[in-house]
Amino acid sequence: MPELRLASQADREWIYRLRHEVYAHELGQHLPNDAGRLTDVLDETNVYLVAAHGTQPMGFISVTPPWTGRYAIDKYLRREEHPALDEDGLFEIRVLTVAPHWRGTSTAALLMHAALRWIRAHGGRTVVALGRSEILAMYLAAGMSTTGTSVRSGAVTFEVLTGRVADLAERAVRNYGRLLRRLESRVRWKLDVPFLPDADACEHGGASIGALGRRFRTLGAHSDVVPADVLDAWFSPAPGVVEALNEHQDWITRTSPPAEAEGLIEEIATARNLPVEAIAVGAGSSDLIFRAFRGWLDSSARVLLVEPTYGEYAHVVERLIGCRVDRFPVCREEGWRMDLDRFRDALRERYDLVVVVNPNNPTGVHVDAGELRQVLADAPAQTRFWIDEAYVGYAGPGQSLEPYAVAASNAVVCKSLSKMYALSGLRVAYLAGQSEIAAELRRWTPPWGVSLPAQIAAVHALRDPGYYDERWAQTRILRAALARALAAINEDLHVQESVANSVLLTLPKHGPGAASLVRACRQQGVFLRDLSPMSPAFEGRTVRIAVREAVANARIAATVGAALHDLQTAT
């Protein structure tokens, strides 16, 4: 049974020798050398995926991630002259090589599949490949497109090919799903990503809920799991919420809610000092995103996303609606903070919609409301801003842009009550904006869209701001303690507190990656969030850890420390 895995250091020796055999002796791309090994400078930073049958090498493929800063194609052409090759999130696939004995088998297809799965798991959006002309049909069958550019190296001619990762994944499921499912049972898959892609879903945290069984037959086991992979509140809802739900639970579960949630809307308006007509409610922020964006945008719309960001936004605008999407990147070196002057420059492109999550999810970095308000006020008039404030309560009072959104014509604020009010299981959120915008969304809101338990819980939660202020303050204390405990594990770890209820843990470049750490901790019942699929900016080595109660946080730190020790010892 063939095995697909990341190459070890020992694998690299046979990889370099097979490269010499194929590309020097067999194809004549390079001159033979006395060492019988073929390497290049990219080997210092690229990733090799290998196929092996027992101890017998079958083949390999190389992936060059964008964070290396250079690609093999740079030797042959200028990327800035080829727009498809100068995008953020570009990964390069190269030197797909199969040992002579295994040619004519599925080895090449499996290696190509493995490369695309690994790239998607690390936030890749576009791939480029130098495909040998002789095997061009294989690349085209996978869904890649030729750019019309060819390059020559030695005696070998290559075609420059590109493809969008999401499109390639969808094509794989659509055209080769049955074949891939058959191959799955015949392959030992050792990569930290599922063998088969889910082409239709957006990847989220919350895998911890899966530990309780798909049909909820082991709900009592939730106390054995630490769900630090999703930003649900660690605390209980306000006492009034619990009392109302418990006292009337039989009646609540069998009774239809108010069809238009008028009472909930009035309670939100009172609590936030907003006009009733400026509010539309939904079953969580994702409900509002799907309904609003589908009504506002079509495939001709231009959208700007701050990168990295909550994955639902890219999923909806790119994969569901098909908008033209640009990204405004923030980076680790700048503490994931937005450069507002650079952001102003980007807005000159006159986008139809700009999405800003503030505080950002997943980084937890916050932009002061006053500074952001000025950027919005100076932006082109036809650009609409969607401000996601799911975690703004953690940033302190006066940091919501709701008053601006209600008065201005170019912004709406999406406000989840799920995470900050410990109501994630009930799903309730609202949009605040000009009355015309809110009325339009209300027209497309189905009756009974917010359940009766959610409406009752939200109303009682909003009536007890003091309780939540105390819980948010306690969250800051727990967050700082968790950050200290993680930082104490190893001086090579980088720990960054968010403004919200999480910390970011970044692993050193040379050592275990985020996926390995998440998998090892999960085996001990501690669930963390690997941020790699959200953006290549995380370089496959950053995890987000949600703040839990003190005992659970101690367990998180101990588990992370033990897992890193075991992983480092194993390598």
Side-chain angles (χ1 to χ4, degrees):
M1 178 180 289
E3 178 175 286
L4 273 293
R5 64 174 188 266
L6 284 175
S8 66
Q9 200 58 42
D11 289 323
R12 292 219 171 204
E13 185 58 34
W14 68 256
I15 287 171
Y16 298 149
R17 292 191 178 280
L18 181 57
R19 279 178 67 178
H20 184 267
E21 177 185 339
V22 173
Y23 296 97
H25 284 298
E26 184 178 343
L27 297 178
Q29 180 184 358
H30 300 281
L31 293 175
N33 60 66
D34 293 338
R37 301 167 78 252
L38 194 59
T39 64
D40 60 36
V41 294
L42 289 175
D43 290 326
E44 300 172 8
T45 51
N46 66 358
V47 173
Y48 279 104
L49 307 174
V50 301
H53 193 280
T55 59
Q56 185 179 14
M58 299 171 67
F60 64 85
I61 192 169
S62 175
V63 176
T64 305
W67 53 83
T68 65
R70 54 187 175 180
Y71 302 95
I73 56 172
D74 294 335
K75 294 186 294 185
Y76 305 105
L77 49 83
R78 295 172 60 87
R79 276 183 285 143
E80 58 269 25
E81 296 175 358
H82 301 265
L85 307 181
D86 199 34
E87 297 186 10
D88 291 330
L90 177 71
F91 285 68
E92 183 179 33
I93 296 173
R94 54 192 296 262
V95 290
L96 171 59
T97 307
V98 178
H101 179 73
W102 296 99
R103 293 173 190 171
T105 69
S106 59
T107 302
L110 281 171
L111 286 166
M112 189 71 173
H113 176 69
L116 291 172
R117 297 298 295 127
W118 190 90
I119 289 168
R120 192 171 192 190
H122 289 78
R125 291 186 289 275
T126 308
V127 293
V128 60
L130 291 176
R132 282 193 294 121
S133 300
E134 295 87 346
I135 58 173
L136 183 62
M138 187 201 69
Y139 289 95
L140 297 178
M144 299 190 72
S145 302
T146 180
T147 63
T149 300
S150 61
V151 298
R152 191 165 181 83
S153 178
V156 182
T157 300
F158 295 93
E159 294 288 331
V160 180
L161 304 132
T162 63
R164 295 193 62 79
V165 175
D167 295 340
L168 296 172
E170 291 170 4
R171 180 186 178 93
V173 171
R174 184 175 64 251
N175 294 349
Y176 305 106
R178 184 175 300 177
L179 172 62
L180 288 170
R181 281 186 285 273
R182 286 203 304 269
L183 289 174
E184 184 176 18
S185 63
R186 303 174 187 175
V187 174
R188 294 178 62 195
W189 185 258
K190 293 296 188 69
L191 300 181
D192 288 320
V193 55
F195 181 85
L196 284 172
D198 186 343
D200 298 320
C202 173
E203 181 166 340
H204 291 289
S208 49
I209 194 69
L212 307 181
R214 290 173 64 89
R215 300 186 182 183
F216 311 112
R217 289 171 176 160
T218 56
L219 289 179
H222 70 83
S223 58
D224 300 326
V225 171
V226 180
D229 59 329
V230 64
L231 300 185
D232 293 337
W234 60 269
F235 50 84
S236 299
V241 174
V242 177
E243 180 180 350
L245 294 179
N246 285 342
E247 185 176 352
H248 306 288
Q249 59 180 307
D250 177 66
W251 175 82
I252 289 172
T253 56
R254 58 184 168 86
T255 301
S256 297
E260 308 300 332
E262 298 94 335
L264 171 59
I265 290 174
E266 291 171 2
E267 195 70 39
I268 294 170
T270 299
R272 301 290 191 248
N273 194 27
L274 301 172
V276 167
E277 60 272 15
I279 297 168
V281 296
S285 58
S286 291
D287 174 31
L288 295 171
I289 293 167
F290 273 74
R291 283 192 284 122
F293 286 21
R294 190 174 184 183
W296 296 346
L297 305 171
D298 59 27
S299 59
S300 68
R302 294 194 65 192
V303 177
L304 180 66
L305 303 178
V306 178
E307 165 86 8
T309 192
Y310 178 51
E312 204 73 80
Y313 290 112
H315 174 68
V316 172
V317 298
E318 279 189 311
R319 296 172 62 188
L320 299 186
I321 301 175
C323 302
R324 296 178 295 164
V325 177
D326 291 336
R327 286 170 168 82
F328 179 83
V330 296
C331 62
R332 184 195 322 275
E333 292 73 21
E334 297 176 358
W336 304 110
R337 299 190 178 281
M338 289 178 65
D339 182 329
L340 293 184
D341 289 333
R342 189 164 55 87
F343 189 52
R344 282 190 176 90
D345 291 340
L347 295 176
R348 293 175 183 168
E349 293 294 324
R350 299 182 180 273
Y351 293 96
D352 297 290
L353 183 71
V354 177
V355 178
V356 179
V357 183
N358 194 39
N360 179 272
N361 178 18
T363 67
V365 174
H366 178 255
V367 179
D368 177 75
E371 296 180 19
L372 186 56
R373 185 186 301 114
Q374 190 58 54
V375 173
L376 270 58
D378 296 340
Q382 77 274 20
T383 297
R384 176 180 285 172
F385 289 83
W386 176 278
I387 311 299
D388 183 329
E389 293 186 346
Y391 305 96
V392 75
Y394 288 116
Q399 287 300 315
S400 176
L401 286 178
E402 288 171 319
Y404 175 88
V406 170
S409 60
N410 71 334
V412 296
V413 167
C414 178
K415 204 74 158 284
S416 171
L417 298 178
S418 299
K419 302 296 174 63
M420 296 206 60
Y421 288 85
L423 304 177
S424 290
L426 295 176
R427 314 304 305 155
V428 58
Y430 67 93
L431 174 146
Q434 280 200 328
S435 58
E436 295 84 357
I437 296 173
E440 177 189 7
L441 191 59
R442 285 197 300 270
R443 284 195 296 272
W444 288 101
T445 301
W448 313 293
V450 181
S451 72
L452 184 56
Q455 292 191 39
I456 292 172
V459 164
H460 283 80
L462 290 167
R463 291 174 181 171
D464 197 349
Y467 170 83
Y468 289 102
D469 285 341
E470 292 177 2
R471 298 289 81 75
W472 300 340
Q474 192 173 357
T475 299
R476 291 191 285 272
I477 296 171
L478 291 167
R479 185 183 67 211
L482 174 60
R484 289 194 298 271
L486 292 168
I489 294 171
N490 189 321
E491 63 182 9
D492 293 330
L493 301 178
H494 182 265
V495 181
Q496 179 175 330
E497 284 190 60
S498 78
V499 171
N501 57 331
S502 65
V503 299
L504 297 186
L505 174 66
T506 299
L507 304 171
K509 289 186 177 181
H510 303 292
S516 297
L517 174 61
V518 167
R519 185 185 66 249
C521 290
R522 186 175 296 184
Q523 292 171 352
Q524 305 303 316
V526 173
F527 286 74
L528 315 177
R529 180 73 187 276
D530 176 9
L531 297 182
S532 305
M534 299 185 73
S535 172
F538 293 117
E539 300 181 7
R541 56 192 181 94
T542 299
V543 299
R544 188 191 67 193
I545 305 176
V547 175
R548 311 304 302 170
E549 61 276 15
V551 172
N553 287 342
R555 181 178 167 188
I556 290 169
T559 303
V560 169
L564 287 175
H565 176 270
D566 291 345
L567 290 168
Q568 289 161 350
T569 300
T571 57

